[in-house]
Amino acid sequence: MTAHLIDRVVVRLALVGALCLGAPVFSEARQGEQVRPAVTDAQSAHSDQGTHADQSSREAQEYPSLRISGFANVDFSAQDKSEGPRGFSEGQFVLHLASALSSRVNFFGELSLTPRADAGTGGPPATGFNAEVERAIIRLDQSDQLKVSFGRYHTPINWWNTAFHHGQWLQTTISRPEMVQFGGRFIPVHFVGALAEGVFSASGWNLNYQGGIGNGRGNVISRGGDAGDNNGRPAWLMSVFSKPDQAFGLQFGGSLYFDRVSVPGRPEFNERITAAHVVWLREDPEIIAEIADVRHSEVGGPLTASSLAYYIQAAYRLPQFDHLWKPYYRFEHIDIDAADQVFAGIPRLDGSTIGVRYDASTYAAIKTEVRVRKRVAGQPNANGWFAQISFTF
């Protein structure tokens, strides 16, 4: 069955490639239009938790100054074992709102609408979409060395979670690594609180720091404590990373995160997350590697467990065909400690993703990828073929 699926996948990849090369509707991308690399855009325009107005124009502009950008995508999937939607599906509709309130005070917000599989069921009937405030951040800029913000963040534990936000056009691939997937439990994706950050030139090493305190995981550990801390023990984090001048595109660093996890009806656990990353963002190539260890220790009890996840992703924008094609590959691994009660039910993973991104225009991309995932030793793999058109507006 797996062999037949792979054969079908190869045929579909060929068809998608022929369609992208031959379709006149996308011909403007090949007529001298400069395609902006997605990863570069994500870093320059969206990687900061609060995207702000250009510093050089702040003195002359009026306040407040609001800028809105949007993202959307349409997906298709074919899987021999269902791990999500099959056939066509509508992706998230996302809005980014950036507003300068003064020369030193800025606001950033992110709103998402996500389609529901149970739309129209229940009483009263479920709505067609879930609305979510993904991020809402106000930041005060004292200097490059000190910026203080308050709000709801994507937790700055690792690189991907703060580089690629909602809006799948931003990232090279269709899927996020499973360790940082939205709605996942391995990494606390959201964080509500306060954050101090800054950068020091350090003789060209450009050392960045972030330190934060706030509400950690909620009663549902995949969600942050939006309505307040559920145990009165705040979470806190710190991260340090470098972007050296002598190796443009390189970033490396690490982070620590501490929290107490309280789930009703279960013992409490202290949580410590240690993470590290190395990223090379030059498009030719793009290399992203991250690792995170999550340790849970029972409060007042003997139980201790440690779970590990990592991934490495490589991509290369081809110099041929007007630099419009970008093949990529990612391997990822998740190993959940059998004694980890907090992560009970999270499946282990050894997975490979191989695909290609085609930039149909400066603001739209077609992606297709094959995923092969092994969950349980000795059991068949979960295989699938996926396609997506994503865009920003």
Side-chain angles (χ1 to χ4, degrees):
M1 180 176 180
T2 301
H4 291 305
L5 177 67
I6 298 300
D7 291 340
R8 294 200 302 271
V9 165
V10 171
V11 173
R12 286 166 174 163
L13 285 171
L15 290 173
V16 170
L19 176 63
C20 293
L21 283 172
V25 68
F26 298 127
S27 62
E28 76 273 18
R30 298 185 295 275
Q31 294 175 357
E33 182 183 33
Q34 182 179 1
V35 175
R36 300 188 306 170
V39 172
T40 303
D41 280 351
Q43 289 297 296
S44 63
H46 299 279
S47 63
D48 192 356
Q49 289 282 9
T51 304
H52 307 304
D54 184 3
Q55 295 265 359
S56 63
S57 63
R58 285 179 174 176
E59 295 298 329
Q61 71 180 99
E62 296 181 357
Y63 303 106
S65 176
L66 176 64
R67 180 180 177 183
I68 301 175
S69 57
F71 302 86
N73 57 278
V74 178
D75 301 333
F76 180 84
S77 65
Q79 306 177 67
D80 58 3
K81 287 186 177 181
S82 181
E83 292 193 354
R86 290 180 174 179
F88 286 98
S89 60
E90 186 174 0
Q92 282 190 326
F93 182 87
V94 179
L95 293 177
H96 286 186
L97 302 93
S99 180
L101 307 183
S102 76
S103 62
R104 293 185 179 275
V105 180
N106 305 274
F107 171 79
F108 181 83
E110 182 179 47
L111 309 175
S112 71
L113 294 172
T114 306
R116 296 178 53 149
D118 62 346
T121 62
T127 60
F129 291 81
N130 277 336
E132 188 81 30
V133 178
E134 302 292 352
R135 291 182 288 162
I137 304 162
I138 185 167
R139 193 173 80 176
L140 292 76
D141 297 352
Q142 174 63 31
S143 64
D144 288 342
Q145 291 76 38
L146 179 60
K147 301 175 183 180
V148 180
S149 58
F150 306 86
R152 189 178 203 250
Y153 309 81
H154 283 145
T155 313
I157 297 177
N158 67 348
W159 183 85
W160 192 292
N161 201 40
T162 55
F164 299 133
H165 304 289
H166 298 265
Q168 294 197 338
W169 174 84
L170 294 169
Q171 61 195 35
T172 299
T173 57
I174 296 176
S175 59
R176 293 166 66 92
E178 192 162 310
M179 65 183 283
V180 291
Q181 68 177 349
F182 293 125
R185 294 186 288 165
F186 193 86
I187 293 291
V189 174
H190 289 102
F191 176 82
V192 180
L195 190 73
E197 58 189 312
V199 58
F200 295 88
S201 60
S203 301
W205 285 94
N206 299 317
L207 294 178
N208 293 254
Y209 75 90
Q210 294 174 312
I213 185 170
N215 304 336
R217 299 183 189 262
N219 291 334
V220 177
I221 67 169
S222 60
R223 296 189 61 86
D226 300 318
D229 200 321
N230 65 349
N231 56 23
R233 292 287 297 268
W236 64 278
L237 62 91
M238 57 183 177
S239 70
V240 178
F241 59 91
S242 173
K243 297 181 178 180
D245 289 337
Q246 296 300 317
F248 179 75
L250 175 65
Q251 177 178 322
F252 60 92
S255 61
L256 290 170
Y257 176 92
F258 299 89
D259 189 19
R260 176 166 291 183
V261 180
S262 299
V263 178
R266 298 183 183 179
E268 289 189 318
F269 287 84
N270 290 322
E271 180 175 65
R272 185 195 69 196
I273 302 176
T274 307
H277 69 271
V278 177
V279 178
W280 181 255
L281 292 179
R282 292 294 298 270
E283 289 285 297
D284 53 355
E286 165 194 298
I287 299 174
I288 308 170
E290 299 198 76
I291 187 169
D293 176 82
V294 183
R295 180 181 178 86
H296 293 129
S297 301
E298 185 179 3
V299 177
L303 183 61
T304 298
S306 183
S307 299
L308 181 72
Y310 62 84
Y311 73 88
I312 181 168
Q313 176 175 304
Y316 190 88
R317 188 169 291 278
L318 300 177
Q320 300 85 3
F321 312 113
D322 297 327
H323 297 83
L324 301 178
W325 293 85
K326 187 178 181 182
Y328 56 85
Y329 172 78
R330 181 173 69 226
F331 176 80
E332 53 188 308
H333 173 80
I334 298 178
D335 184 21
I336 303 298
D337 192 323
D340 197 332
Q341 295 186 17
V342 178
F343 284 168
I346 297 181
R348 71 177 306 279
L349 171 66
D350 282 309
S352 289
T353 300
I354 184 170
V356 63
R357 174 190 177 112
Y358 169 74
D359 285 284
S361 80
T362 305
Y363 303 108
I366 297 174
K367 312 173 192 178
T368 181
E369 65 187 35
V370 175
R371 301 176 205 159
V372 179
R373 302 191 171 194
K374 179 176 286 295
R375 299 291 186 183
V376 181
Q379 297 295 319
N381 296 340
N383 305 311
W385 171 72
F386 303 83
Q388 179 188 84
I389 181 166
S390 58
F391 52 94
T392 181
F393 55 90

